[in-house]
Structure formats: structure tokens, C-alpha cells
Amino acid sequence: MSCGSHRLPRRIPGTVTRVELFPPQVGMIWVRPQETMGPWGPGQFAMVFPSASNDPLLGRPLGLAGQVDGQLLFLCRGVGRGTRMLLSSPPGSPVHLVAPLGSPLAPLEESKLILLGGGVGVAALLPLADRADRLLWAVRDGTWAGLMDRCSEALGLDRDRLVPVFEDGPPGEGCNGVEALWRLPMDLKGATVVACGPSGMLRAVWELGRERGFRSLLGLERRMACGFGGCMGCAIDLKGGVRARVCKDGPFFWGEDLDHEAFD
Amino acid sequence: MSCGSHRLPRRIPGTVTRVELFPPQVGMIWVRPQETMGPWGPGQFAMVFPSASNDPLLGRPLGLAGQVDGQLLFLCRGVGRGTRMLLSSPPGSPVHLVAPLGSPLAPLEESKLILLGGGVGVAALLPLADRADRLLWAVRDGTWAGLMDRCSEALGLDRDRLVPVFEDGPPGEGCNGVEALWRLPMDLKGATVVACGPSGMLRAVWELGRERGFRSLLGLERRMACGFGGCMGCAIDLKGGVRARVCKDGPFFWGEDLDHEAFD
Amino acid sequence: MRPSTDLLGSGVDGPVNVDLNGLGLSSPVVVASGVLPMDGEVWSSMEGVGLICTKGITLEPRAGNRGERLVETPSGLLNSIGLENPGIDRFLEAILPDLLRSRRSLGLNVAFSSLGELEELIGRIGDRAASVEVLELNLSCPNVDREGAVWGESPERTFEAVRLARSLWPRSVWAKLTPQAPDVAAVARAAEEAGAHCLVVANTWLGAEVDLEAGAPVFKRVVAGLSGPAVLPLTLRLLFQLYPKVSVPLVACGGICSPQDALKAMMAGASAVQVGTQLFRDLGCCGEILEGIRSFLDSRGLSVSRLVGCAHRASR
Amino acid sequence: MRPSTDLLGSGVDGPVNVDLNGLGLSSPVVVASGVLPMDGEVWSSMEGVGLICTKGITLEPRAGNRGERLVETPSGLLNSIGLENPGIDRFLEAILPDLLRSRRSLGLNVAFSSLGELEELIGRIGDRAASVEVLELNLSCPNVDREGAVWGESPERTFEAVRLARSLWPRSVWAKLTPQAPDVAAVARAAEEAGAHCLVVANTWLGAEVDLEAGAPVFKRVVAGLSGPAVLPLTLRLLFQLYPKVSVPLVACGGICSPQDALKAMMAGASAVQVGTQLFRDLGCCGEILEGIRSFLDSRGLSVSRLVGCAHRASR
Ligand SMILES: Cc1cc2nc3c(=O)[nH]c(=O)nc-3n(C[C@H](O)[C@H](O)[C@H](O)COP(=O)(O)OP(=O)(O)OC[C@H]3O[C@@H](n4cnc5c(N)ncnc54)[C@H](O)[C@@H]3O)c2cc1C
Ligand SMILES: Cc1cc2nc3c(=O)[nH]c(=O)nc-3n(C[C@H](O)[C@H](O)[C@H](O)COP(=O)(O)OP(=O)(O)OC[C@H]3O[C@@H](n4cnc5c(N)ncnc54)[C@H](O)[C@@H]3O)c2cc1C
Ligand SMILES: Cc1cc2nc3c(=O)[nH]c(=O)nc-3n(C[C@H](O)[C@H](O)[C@H](O)COP(=O)(O)O)c2cc1C
Ligand SMILES: Cc1cc2nc3c(=O)[nH]c(=O)nc-3n(C[C@H](O)[C@H](O)[C@H](O)COP(=O)(O)O)c2cc1C
Ligand code: FES
Ligand code: FES
């Protein structure tokens, strides 16, 4: 049933058409929605319900990574029951989506736009890839290479701008995402860095931005029940005690609006 | 985990390899158990868990209809949530089984052995088919023909002994399962009729047996939580006030042990 | 046979009017407190609802609880939001006008820790909220004057709170009961005697969750409120228990997710149903629930009033 | 660090010994009453269990309730079996010897409608059941001498029943509480004062279900007992509530299905756990639960006694 307005994200039945699984427990999940979803933009996410049953009850928030031939792409890491259910869905499995959720990232017309994704955190950044100078994709190790390749291929990412970063790379090369930012052969001053990934990484980007004079736009994660701003489960303090809901007012926030508690 | 004894039916993970769906909402469900199940006989059933989740919580009792190339065959009618979930499982879907349950039918060495299955009630009788003189399979209408054919083929049923009975058949031919029993070109006296299907049908067979002097062995259905005799949810009165559990002491009972309440 | 004074209309989106002790609603489906954003546009686009309750509002702004606020349980949800809200003044000023633009009937859910606070709260509202149909008293919060005992656990305290609200609030007062009451029937009767127009049966069930890695409670306050499908059988039981004991309308709350759930609750004695957690799964569910109720009534030629409580009249 | 007087052995199937107020069990996993057939062969093949409780036994045989006895709910099960059992005489004669052949520690779950009946029941047992370790009093059944009020709803009645059982029964007496008690902590303290060796927390939660087609309650008695995963958060809450109030060991019961559930219950204060509904899904679950507890303790070098109640000691 429709909610009668495009303001309200609807629950849409969908079908998992394919799961491309890579070590270590990460996968590309392709979902064909059975009804048309409203328009969406970079930075937004979906609540994905792994089954029609009451258990698991809630949707799992997953970034909208792309859309190809009417199929939505999610990148998912198996960390718990819901994500593992999704990753092991045989083709044809029913799922439900409530989407799009979150505020889409405003058009970023900056001259220098750098994206930094940590692990599957890259998902919500992928739709921005063709507008960015660089997309740094930081992962633990080489086991991720297969996923990166497949993902670049499926979404037609420009390999010249994609910079894979392997934490355990060869001596002198291996580094984490934030070090890779440092090492970029460009002056970050005046740049905008959009980052999404583990909170430690986000905190480091946030601090680095203040040091090096770039703006950061950071994708936060919180436990979510609704995803549309109703339950107040994901509320955080912005600077100056202003309350915000990660799901609705975010999940991306400007670094200057965040307190260090946001990364706890 | 094993229960250490063959006396206790274990929970076995399995995979739906194929669902062959026929109108009206009936299907053949093929399940490959991932561990070997204990030996089983005609008349027994499995508790089939449509998912690993807590909802639906309980298994659905389904008769063990056959085993081909290591795959178990179930015949299932979509009447509620669990059975519909099973019928719509894409190949590769995980299920769990607790099986075999119920008392297998003792070897029936009778000279005249007639089987009567109503709809999917035939399932538990199919493993007896090659020992019987006749297998009457009574269904509402011709939409079932596809399932009957496929089933006969898959299990290699002897088409000479299989008598499809269509309730809405051509005038003079259409009849229900009990009428078909009447019409058999043989004296039922001294025969054994094993019947499974709607309770109205069972009651009629039971009454007919008393009239016509044949023994009846009737497969009852009750709501079940455990299937192994623990919960007392399926308890019924036998003649003389003896209590019995349909799941454990049945599901097939001799007509002479049953009271008419058994068919309420 | 279609004798239906209270079943008007039969178009797909036709109303199913209910009379809740003088308050007429075009649908028995009510949005529970604390689940929808307080955003007029969201409210406008909700289909099938007869009334929407606000998040619980207190006299002063509240930041809510720190730490984990939500945990999923088998078919349920534990929440420990802690009544985060902007306080009554900001609510009246910045939020209410927007909500009223949605033209939805509105239930103002309020929480208070003393009678004085409740009085002050209703006083601040004054006549600035003349179009707020319902004042819903959340009786699951602690009463500071009684060592933090929860209002709704005591018939006497419930009586006092409801009576005070009735004396100050000119329109409907709903008492939202807590299932933790030692004698919920006594509390229900006290609320009725004090003049509550409806009883909401009920708020969340106290539960808890443990963090295995930390070896500690997940929630800072240890306990949290359980909602969602898991509690539906408990809600139905409360309805069966209370319906024969009071004569004011009951509003079911707890685990209502589908038209079937709503119909069961109504058969067990509810004149209306509140929907909370299910909205987290499907914002269109209220429309579906209304539609399901309507077509059930239609197909059987039943009126709402014949439906409500019919399971008590069924011979067993 | 492996200081474990009560954690002996560490083989895959090694025991995790617990001391329940004088009664030593080789596993904290107990089979709840009413879920396993009373069949010695089945009992023998159960793995990982420290004690198995019988179906509730009454003085006279009981046929149990008519009509529907089971309904599945979201992640839960409502049952209204109505204590169908062969009565104490037949139990002692025909069933107990078979059960004892399983060499499993045995808890005799008994229900009674008056003190006289309880006395007579224990009297009939006499010394014919010297190897029955535990007498588990099901306090969820009605007391005919008090207009059918449920024993476990009243601290006084609970005290009387437990004290009587203690005076007649030479071994462990467990009081199985009902979560419907208006003041469950008071009942727990009463049971402790009367000498209960352990408190089982708790029996099923009263729920109800409606048959939509019939417009009537599904169960003849309207209400039925809710068990299964849905109630786990409620069980954990009761444990958090009771653990600080009594000093006898608590045995968790309600929704324990996995090693994680058992560990959570133990952290919340349970010295042992009962498993009921999950056995309907997996007869091997007790072995898995024991194994999970054992490996959790092993990997952290913890003893059972350090585990039990640790969530109360965690700084929050
Ligand atoms: C805005 C947003 C976007 C995200 N995008 C992605 C993505 O593209 N790919 C990806 O793999 N993961 C993403 N995550 C994290 C992902 O939502 C969690 O890993 C997932 O919900 C865990 O569910 P589970 O059932 O496997 O784990 P469980 O631990 O079993 O989940 C239990 C409950 O906790 C919640 N939960 C647990 N961890 C998290 C978490 N880190 N964030 C939010 N809720 C959590 C679950 O949703 C569920 O309600 C995103 C999170 C947010 C908030
Ligand atoms: C021994 C036995 C063998 C059976 N064999 C077959 C078979 O081979 N093929 C087949 O299609 N059906 C068979 N049935 C019936 C089948 O078990 C039910 O149709 C099924 O359980 C319904 O589940 P549901 O979730 O679709 O329905 P729902 O109505 O949603 O089920 C709700 C609950 O009620 C129980 N329930 C509902 N109807 C029945 C019923 N008729 N019998 C037992 N429990 C019920 C379910 O198991 C579940 O616990 C058998 C039943 C029994 C007792
Ligand atoms: C996230 C959340 C916040 C809630 N906030 C309030 C509140 O502020 N006031 C209140 O009376 N009830 C509140 N509730 C309780 C709901 O209104 C409702 O009583 C409860 O969720 C049971 O209904 P359900 O099972 O349909 O969700 C809240 C529930 C949830 C899940
Ligand atoms: C079918 C069934 C029968 C039960 N019979 C009894 C009984 O005879 N005596 C008793 O004290 N509890 C009985 N119980 C309650 C269980 O022992 C246990 O307290 C309850 O099921 C909660 O635990 P669980 O969630 O692990 O099932 C029964 C429960 C079920 C499901
Ligand atoms: S998840 Fe509900 S408000 Fe953000
Ligand atoms: S289903 Fe449990 S005893 Fe038969």
C-alpha cells in the first residue's frame, strides 16, 4: 500500500536476484524492488528487512550503493544475524525495503572533492564517485580486491580515480584510509572530504580536517529502529547541544557541527 | 548436534532443492537433508521448520512422501503462513527438519490392502503404494492432475494400481474418495483400508468399515507443538477413555480404537 | 443484512467511524505515542488513521537516556528512549502549529512526575491547543512524590492524576495504563471513576537485555519497554481481563501490526487500536489495517459496535 | 587465570558443575516441566542436562483441557494443556521406575489445589521416590480454598505451600513462581523465608488468542500460558528485579533457547536455566547450551560463580 505521498518512504517488496559473496563475509547484494522506489541520491540508505517474518523484526540500514538495470546494489558485511541472512539469501528470496531514507548529500560543487570509504562504508559514497577527484577505498587486506574489482566493473567506476588502500599492503605502501588521505599528492586545504566507515576512521578524518583545513562530511552509524526520524533511537548531540537524528538529519554531518562524542 | 541416540529425532538442517508448484496452491517440495536422517517408514512425518528464525516458531508436520536420490519429498498445501513460506522457497533456501516422527505403519501383510488419500493427505501413504492393491487418490478436480502425474513419475508409482478420483469428474464418474471405495470392483470384507485426508472423509471410511466389514487404519491430524509426545497438545481419547498422542502413538490409528469424537 | 449506524461508507478508503465516549473518529486506528516524527508533512500523508498521538511531552525539555536506546528481541523491540522531548513550551510554539496543519486529530501524550507538574503542564497549554482532541496521560512514568513509584501501578495515584486532568482539560482524557500494575483491573476502575474517557491498554512491558561481551545490562537503566508483535498475546489477555470490569471504551495498544491483530483486539473488547512498532516496518500499515477492518465488517454485514467485545459474548 | 572450584573438566562434554543450595548438578541446564515425554529412553538420550522436570503431577489423574491446546504466536507459544497427567499413584507405579532407569536427576513438578492435597500428594510418595532430587512446586495453579486465586500471586499462600512442602519433603524444594504475581518480589521473599531451596523464575505469562472466524477466544479457558523466545526479555527483567532481593539461587525459565540466552540469564542472576519450548524445535539444544556455556567460561577463565549475577556487579 502506498502512503499517498512521496514524503513518506514506503515499504516495498523486493527480490534478491543475486548475492556475490567475497571473503571475508562481505558481499554485493542485488535487489529488484517490485515497486518503483522514490528518487534517491548519494548518502541515502535503505532499511532492508531480511524476511517478511516478525523475527528479525527491524530493517537493517544499508547504504544505497547504486542502481543497475532496475536493480539496487548493496554492499554488506556479515556481522550479525540479519546481515548474514541477507548474505546467504538464495536468488529469488523475498526481502522488503523502506527507502530511500536519510538526507541525500547536497550537490557538492567543490573544486576538490575527496571520498574516503572504509570497508563496506564506501557504499553510500559510490553514487558520488564520478563527481569526485578521488575515491579512496580503504580495506584491511587483499582479500577485498575481488569485491573492489567486481564493484568497479558493475558500477562502471573510473579506475583512474579509484584508489584502493590496503592496510596490510607491502612495506611502505600499506596504510589506513587516513594515512592515504595524508599521502594524496594534492593540497587538501579547501577540499571537501566525504568519509564513511568505522568510527575511529571518522574521528581521525574529523581531526585531520581541523588541522589541515579541509571540510569533512562524515557518515555516522547508530542503531536504528525506524530510519525516518520517529523513534529517537539514533539521536546525537551536535555542537552547542543541538539534538539531531542520525537517520533523518544525517547520516552525513559536517565535521564542524559534530562534537567528539559523535565518534564514541 | 546429535542427541546421542537414534531414539530421539534430531534437528537436521536441510536445503529446499526444488518446489514444483501446481494449482491450487499445492506443491511437491524436495528437501536435501544435510545430515543423514534415521530410517523411516510409511505413515511417518517430519516437523518442517520453514526458516531458522523464531517466527514462525514451530515446525509444520508434513507426511514423508518419499525419498529419491537422497532428497525427501513432501506434498504440501498452502493453507497458512508456514506452508505458504515453504511453497514459495526459492531453491537453496534453508529449512530444518525434525524427523522421522510418528509410529511407522507396521508391515501390513493383508491380502487386500487399499490406500485412500484425500488431497495432500496421500503423502504418508505413498511409501506404501507398491505394497497395496489399490491407491485411491481423491482430489477435488482436474487441476490436481498435473501434480498426480509428476508425483507418480518422480516416485515411479505403478499407474495400474493408482486410481485418481476426481470429485467433479464427468457425470456418473465424478465421486469422492469414499464413494470410490464403494465402487471398487472387489469385496472389501476382510480388507484393510489405510486412509488419510480430511476428517470428514476419515469418518466416512470409519463408518463404512464397520458396515462393510473391513479394518480401517486412519491418519489423524491435530495441531502439534513437539511431534514427539512431549507437549500433550495432540492428545485424544481412544475407545474406553484411553488417552493417546496423535504425534507419537499415531498419527495412524486402527478404526476400532477410535471414538467418533476423533473426527470432530 | 447491513445494519450499520457506525459503519458509514464502503469505498476502499471509506471511514469506519467510531465513537470513543463522545469523541468521533473516522478510523479506529490510532498512531501510538513516540513512533512518528512530529512533522506535519509526515502526519498529513498518514493514511487510515483516526488520531495521532504525539511523542510524550513533559513540562521541561528532556534529553532522554544516554547509552543504548534500542534493542531488537525475538519479534519485539526494547526501548529506553527516556522521553526525549523539547518540553511543552517549545512544543506549543514550534511544533504544534505544524502538526495542526496536517488536519489530523491529535492526541497529546504527556508525562509528569508530580501532580503539580501535570497541573502546570496543562496550565501552560491553556487555550492554545483547542483543537487537540485528546490528552493522553502516560501513567508509566515515576511519581517523584512517591519515591518514584510509577503512577499507573497504584489505583489511588491514577485516580488523582486522571481527576486532576479532567478538572483542567476540557476535552477527552485517555489514561494509558501500565501492564506492570499489581492489580491492573483496580487501576482501570480507578481511572474510570476519575472520569477517564478511554483506557489505553497498555503501555510497554518491562523487559531487560544483557550485553554478553560486557557482562552488563545493555541499558543504563537496566530495564526497558518491550513492544511489538511479541506482546500481542499479552495485550489480548489484558483486554479480556478488563473489558468486563469497566464500561469506558478500551483502546488496545501493544503488538497490533495487521488487520487481523486489530480485529482480534476489537473482538476482545477494544473500541480502537493503537499502532506503534509496526510503523517502523511499514508506514502504510494503518491504511491497510483500516482497510482490513472495513472489509471484514463489510463482508459480514457487521457494525463496529457488534464487533467490539464479541468474543466475550460468544458462547464457548 | 582459571580459578574454578565449580568449573570442573573442560572436555567437550565436560560437566559444568553447579551447586543449587546443596544440590549439585553436573550442568546448569534443566529441562522444564511439561515438554518432554515421560519416557526413560528419551530421558537417557538427553545430552547436557543437569536435571529433568516431570510433567506437572496432581493427586488425581487429570484429562486436561478440551478444545484447542496450542497456538503459535510471534516467537511464542500459548498453551492450555490443563495439566493432563495420570495422577500421582499411576506416576509412581508405572512411570517413575522407567524414568529412574535413565539415571537422570529428576525434578518432580507437582500441582495442587489445596494444602490438604499437597500434603496427601507428598504423603503418597512417601519413600518411594528417594532418588527424586527436587520437588518443584508449580505455584501457577489455583487454590480452591481461596476462590481459585493462584497460589503464587500471594506471598502468604506461597509461604504456606512452601513451608508445608519443606516439612514433608526431605530433599530440595523449588518454588516455581508466576509472573502474574502483583508483587513478585514479595512472593519470592516469602518462598525463601519458608525454606525454598531455589526459585524458578518463572512460569508462563498469561496471554490470550482470538479465533477471527469464530469471533471467540481460541481457548476454552480464554487465557493460556505464553512461553518461548518472545518472553526472554521479560524473564531477564524478573531476574534483574529478584536477584538483589533474595539469596537463594534463582533458576531462569522462559525463553531460554541458546547458549547466549542462558549466559544472559546467568549474568542477570540465574544459577541455572530451564529450557522448555526450545526443545520442541531442537531436542539437542540442551547439549549445545551446556557446551556454549562451558566454552564461554573456558575462553574467559571464568567460574560459574563469577558468571552468576555479574551484570549486577558491572559498573554502569
Ligand atoms: C546509515 C547506516 C548505513 C549503513 N550502511 C551499511 C552498509 O552499506 N553496509 C553494511 O554492511 N553495513 C551498513 N551499516 C551497518 C549495518 O546496518 C549493521 O551492520 C547491521 O544493521 C547489523 O545487523 P545484524 O542483524 O547483522 O547484526 P545484529 O548485531 O544481530 O543486529 C541487531 C540489531 O542491532 C542493529 N545494529 C547492529 N549493528 C549496527 C550498526 N553498526 N549500525 C546500525 N545498527 C546496527 C541492527 O540493525 C539490529 O537492529 C549501516 C548502518 C547505518 C546506520
Ligand atoms: C501428522 C500430520 C501430517 C500432515 N501431513 C501433511 C502433508 O503431508 N501435507 C500437507 O500439506 N499438510 C499436512 N498436514 C497439515 C499441515 O501440518 C498443516 O496444514 C500446517 O501445519 C499448517 O501450517 P501453516 O503455517 O500453513 O498454517 P497456520 O494456520 O498459519 O498454522 C498455525 C499453526 O497451526 C498449526 N496447524 C494449522 N493447521 C494444522 C493442521 N491441519 N494440522 C496440524 N497443525 C496445524 C501449524 O502447524 C502452526 O503451528 C499434516 C498434519 C499432521 C498433523
Ligand atoms: C521508540 C518508542 C518510543 C515510545 N515513546 C513513548 C512515549 O513517549 N509515550 C508513551 O506513552 N509511549 C511511548 N511508547 C510506547 C508506545 O506508544 C506503545 O505503547 C508501545 O510501543 C506498544 O505498542 P506497539 O507494540 O504497537 O509498539 C514508545 C514506544 C517506542 C517503541
Ligand atoms: C506444552 C507445555 C506444557 C507445560 N506444562 C507444565 C507443567 O505441567 N507444569 C509446569 O510447572 N510448567 C509447565 N509448562 C511451563 C514450562 O515448564 C515453562 O515454565 C515455560 O514453558 C517457559 O519456559 P520456555 O519459554 O523455555 O518454554 C508447560 C509449558 C508448555 C509449553
Ligand atoms: S532511527 Fe528512529 S529516529 Fe533515527
Ligand atoms: S505434538 Fe506434542 S505431544 Fe503430540
Side-chain angles (χ1 to χ4, degrees), chain A residues 3 57-58 60 232 243, chain C residues 41 45 69 72 84 281:
Chain A
C3 288
L57 185 73
L58 302 172
R60 272 41 181 167
M232 300 306 282
R243 294 292 281 177
Chain C
E41 293 212 52
S45 42
R69 291 179 159 200
E72 193 186 71
E84 169 161 359
R281 295 155 52 86

Side-chain angles (χ1 to χ4, degrees), chain A residues 28-257:
Chain A
M28 294 166 61
I29 302 180
W30 296 93
V31 174
R32 186 180 297 285
Q34 272 149 39
E35 296 165 19
T36 27
M37 198 176 82
W40 61 276
Q44 288 194 284
F45 65 97
M47 280 294 214
V48 183
F49 293 80
S51 84
S53 125
N54 290 306
D55 176 63
L57 185 73
L58 302 172
R60 272 41 181 167
L62 296 179
L64 287 160
Q67 190 157 12
V68 178
D69 296 336
Q71 292 175 59
L72 294 167
L73 174 62
F74 297 99
L75 302 189
C76 179
R77 211 164 101 86
V79 299
R81 195 159 67 112
T83 49
R84 287 199 203 105
M85 277 177 75
L86 286 169
L87 287 173
S88 63
S89 309
S93 298
V95 288
H96 284 84
L97 305 174
V98 174
L101 295 168
S103 306
L105 293 173
L108 295 160
E109 307 296 358
E110 284 77 359
S111 47
K112 278 180 286 183
L113 179 63
I114 318 284
L115 310 179
L116 168 58
V120 292
V122 81
L125 304 178
L126 293 176
L128 265 183
D130 57 357
R131 271 186 272 159
D133 295 289
R134 286 287 185 288
L135 165 57
L136 306 181
W137 188 348
V139 295
R140 179 146 333 188
D141 58 36
T143 58
W144 285 73
L147 175 72
M148 285 181 167
D149 284 346
R150 227 341 248 147
C151 214
S152 309
E153 184 198 339
L155 296 175
L157 297 184
D158 178 352
R159 303 295 301 233
D160 290 342
R161 287 186 279 182
L162 173 64
V163 185
V165 179
F166 298 98
E167 225 174 287
D168 77 337
E173 285 182 43
C175 69
N176 67 32
V178 186
E179 286 160 356
L181 257 188
W182 269 96
R183 295 188 189 179
L184 274 184
M186 58 168 80
D187 186 3
L188 289 178
K189 193 157 193 138
T192 297
V193 176
V194 190
C196 190
S199 62
M201 183 190 96
L202 298 183
R203 180 197 295 269
V205 172
W206 179 67
E207 283 168 353
L208 192 66
R210 297 201 293 188
E211 264 172 46
R212 298 276 292 266
F214 61 82
R215 291 189 84 192
S216 58
L217 194 49
L218 305 167
L220 300 184
E221 275 191 22
R222 285 297 180 278
R223 286 202 182 212
M224 296 182 173
C226 72
F228 52 71
C231 73
M232 300 306 282
C234 67
I236 58 167
D237 273 329
L238 297 185
K239 267 228 173 66
V242 180
R243 294 292 281 177
R245 294 156 302 181
V246 171
C247 66
K248 170 90 180 169
D249 308 310
F252 284 85
F253 293 90
W254 287 108
E256 60 261 36
D257 294 333

Side-chain angles (χ1 to χ4, degrees), chain D residues 19-291:
Chain D
D19 174 8
L20 298 175
N21 209 348
L23 170 69
L25 299 181
S26 62
S27 162
V29 184
V30 172
V31 173
S33 171
V35 295
L36 272 195
M38 293 198 285
D39 171 334
E41 293 213 51
V42 172
W43 285 35
S44 308
S45 43
M46 291 300 294
E47 283 179 0
V49 302
L51 182 89
I52 301 180
C53 295
T54 64
K55 174 75 200 162
I57 306 293
T58 50
L59 185 60
E60 301 298 331
R62 288 181 55 156
N65 294 334
R66 304 245 126 218
E68 215 53 86
R69 290 179 160 199
L70 300 167
V71 168
E72 193 187 70
T73 69
S75 298
L77 171 64
L78 284 169
N79 90 76
S80 174
I81 305 295
L83 289 177
E84 169 160 0
N85 82 91
I88 189 68
D89 292 338
R90 212 176 122 63
F91 171 80
L92 291 170
E93 209 168 295
I95 298 174
L96 182 61
D98 177 47
L99 297 181
L100 291 176
R101 272 193 293 276
S102 75
R103 311 187 144 275
R104 296 300 169 149
S105 297
L106 192 153
L108 178 60
N109 181 286
V110 294
F112 44 95
S113 57
S114 66
L115 290 175
E117 197 173 315
L118 177 61
E119 180 166 3
E120 171 84 15
L121 208 163
I122 303 180
R124 297 257 183 112
I125 303 174
D127 48 13
R128 298 167 67 188
S131 45
V132 170
E133 277 88 347
V134 172
L135 185 75
E136 183 182 59
L137 304 179
N138 174 353
L139 299 172
S140 293
C141 43
N143 177 348
V144 289
D145 292 339
R146 303 277 166 171
E147 285 105 37
V150 167
W151 290 96
E153 292 184 355
S154 146
E156 293 76 24
R157 301 294 90 70
T158 296
F159 183 88
E160 288 170 12
V162 173
R163 198 181 41 180
L164 178 65
R166 277 286 275 144
S167 72
L168 299 170
W169 180 263
R171 291 169 300 283
S172 281
V173 171
W174 290 9
K176 187 168 180 183
L177 307 179
T178 168
Q180 275 69 240
D183 185 347
V184 67
V187 175
R189 280 189 306 257
E192 176 176 42
E193 269 171 49
H197 293 85
C198 287
L199 307 181
V200 181
V201 179
N203 214 313
T204 51
W205 294 76
L206 273 194
E209 176 61 305
V210 174
D211 178 336
L212 269 188
E213 290 314 312
V218 164
F219 297 106
K220 285 234 155 46
R221 298 166 160 270
V222 182
V223 298
L226 183 65
S227 65
V231 307
L232 178 65
L234 305 173
T235 303
L236 294 177
R237 185 260 293 179
L238 286 177
L239 291 168
F240 273 113
Q241 191 180 343
L242 297 181
Y243 181 77
K245 305 233 165 112
V246 293
S247 45
V248 288
L250 304 179
V251 179
C253 182
I256 311 281
C257 301
S258 68
Q260 289 74 33
D261 299 344
L263 288 163
K264 289 175 185 177
M266 294 175 84
M267 289 175 170
S271 298
V273 298
Q274 292 199 356
V275 179
T277 305
Q278 180 63 13
L279 286 162
F280 300 161
R281 294 155 52 85
D282 184 1
L283 277 168
C285 68
C286 294
E288 280 177 34
I289 292 174
L290 174 62
E291 173 52 18

